[in-house]
């Protein structure tokens, strides 16, 4: 008996399914790379000094907020939302298309995370993270939290 071969329609279906699976697996990675809270500000390296930076900013609807350091400026666009889930590609492309702009990056809001004292059971191996110093009450500069007037002496 000969092995079964796929007909033309079965091959097309197989290729389509493979492409769909590939897209489903790859698109979330691309989307995750783009997700963030984008601001209406750009950091840009503009060669040519302050005058050139102001000229390019005016040309594309930006305001120069400040000079971060040599030839690097913080620009703000007047018509871009303060925060957006999507980057403003149109304004970014206009900015980097200028010959004097070496690079530009739309700023992203950074999430603040409170780094608090780790709560762990004393039975864990990280016993050194607990504040069990027997001399703790004698460290007046750490205990009082105030000036010399509020010094608490323990004795």
């Amino acid at each position: 008996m000969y092995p079964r071969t796929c007909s033309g329609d079965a091959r097309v279906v197989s290729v389509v399914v493979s492409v769909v699976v590939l897209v489903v697996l790859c698109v979330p990675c691309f989307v995750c790379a783009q997700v963030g809270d984008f601001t209406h500000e750009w950091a840009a390296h503009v060669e040519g000094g302050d005058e050139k930076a102001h000229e390019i900013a005016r040309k594309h609807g930006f305001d120069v907020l400040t000079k971060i350091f040599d030839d690097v400026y913080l620009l703000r666009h007047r018509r871009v939302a303060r925060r957006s889930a999507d980057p403003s590609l149109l304004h970014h492309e206009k900015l980097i298309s200028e010959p004097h702009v070496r690079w530009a990056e739309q700023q992203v809001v950074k999430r603040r995370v409170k780094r608090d004292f780790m709560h762990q059971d004393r039975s864990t191996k990280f016993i050194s993270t607990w504040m069990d110093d027997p001399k703790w009450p004698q460290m007046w500069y750490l205990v009082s939290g105030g000036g010399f007037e509020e010094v608490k002496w323990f004795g």
Side-chain angles (χ1 to χ4, degrees):
M1 200 169 215
Y2 297 105
R4 266 171 97 179
T5 59
C6 293
S7 67
D9 291 338
R11 280 190 189 155
V12 170
V13 170
S14 175
V15 169
V16 168
V17 168
S18 299
V19 169
V20 168
V21 168
L22 184 64
V23 167
V24 167
L25 292 175
C26 292
V27 167
C29 296
F30 176 73
V31 171
C32 290
Q34 300 291 325
V35 171
D37 286 334
F38 293 90
T39 69
H40 59 313
E41 296 176 349
W42 275 258
H45 183 190
V46 182
E47 292 178 334
D50 294 346
E51 293 86 21
K52 196 56 148 173
H54 284 277
E55 176 188 328
I56 291 171
R58 260 191 316 276
K59 181 177 176 183
H60 297 293
F62 288 91
D63 294 319
V64 177
L65 295 181
T66 187
K67 184 174 187 175
I68 300 171
F69 46 85
D70 294 338
D71 291 340
V72 178
Y73 299 88
L74 183 63
L75 309 175
R76 177 183 291 162
H77 199 280
R78 299 178 204 122
R79 294 197 177 148
V80 174
R82 290 186 125 211
R83 285 196 181 186
S84 175
D86 301 316
S88 181
L89 298 176
L90 174 70
H91 297 98
H92 185 77
E93 290 296 327
K94 285 182 180 179
L95 193 58
I96 63 171
S97 69
E98 289 289 328
H100 290 280
V101 176
R102 292 186 47 103
W103 57 263
E105 182 177 321
Q106 188 173 3
Q107 300 301 286
V108 178
V109 176
K110 299 290 185 189
R111 300 278 182 221
R112 294 185 67 156
V113 178
K114 183 177 180 182
R115 294 180 292 171
D116 204 0
F117 185 71
M118 295 173 44
H119 297 287
Q120 297 174 346
D121 294 335
R122 286 187 161 265
S123 61
T124 64
K125 64 180 178 177
F126 300 107
I127 215 83
S128 65
T129 61
W130 287 91
M131 294 164 44
D132 56 357
D133 187 354
K135 301 245 183 213
W136 172 254
Q138 296 165 346
M139 297 180 193
W140 58 268
Y141 51 89
L142 297 176
V143 175
S144 73
F148 287 104
E149 299 80 28
E150 300 177 22
V151 172
K152 298 176 186 173
W153 295 96
F154 297 91

